[in-house]
Amino acid sequence: MALTSTDDEHDPEGQTTAVDRSRTEALLAGAERHLVDLDAAERRLEDGDYGICEVCGRPIPRARLEVRPTARTCVDHAA
Ligand SMILES: [Zn+2]
């Protein structure tokens, strides 16, 4: 996800500051969660559970892990 807020300053709605702020907060929250996810992924790697869907126990497709290395579920069980 890329930050594309450069043109928002000309937004006639005048809501840009609030929007940008909530977007930034969402990004920060996502980054924090990502760190937790990375931690969990590392643990699963050590336990040998990495790449296994938490819901159905089947292997998560490699293509999905390449896009989302911290995925805990297969595509079918993604939240
Ligand atoms: Zn699954």
Side-chain angles (χ1 to χ4, degrees), residues 20-75:
D20 281 353
R21 183 159 152 177
S22 67
R23 189 186 298 161
T24 304
E25 279 168 1
L27 282 173
L28 282 175
E32 236 165 72
R33 197 169 53 226
H34 194 65
L35 282 178
V36 172
D37 284 347
L38 281 176
D39 241 38
E42 213 169 26
R43 267 200 300 276
R44 292 200 304 279
L45 209 53
E46 285 168 5
D47 292 348
D49 290 336
Y50 181 74
I52 304 294
C53 173
E54 282 186 343
V55 179
C56 65
R58 297 207 313 235
I60 300 171
R62 176 166 295 273
R64 173 163 165 75
L65 287 174
E66 280 171 8
V67 177
R68 288 203 52 190
T70 60
R72 299 178 195 205
T73 61
C74 66
V75 183

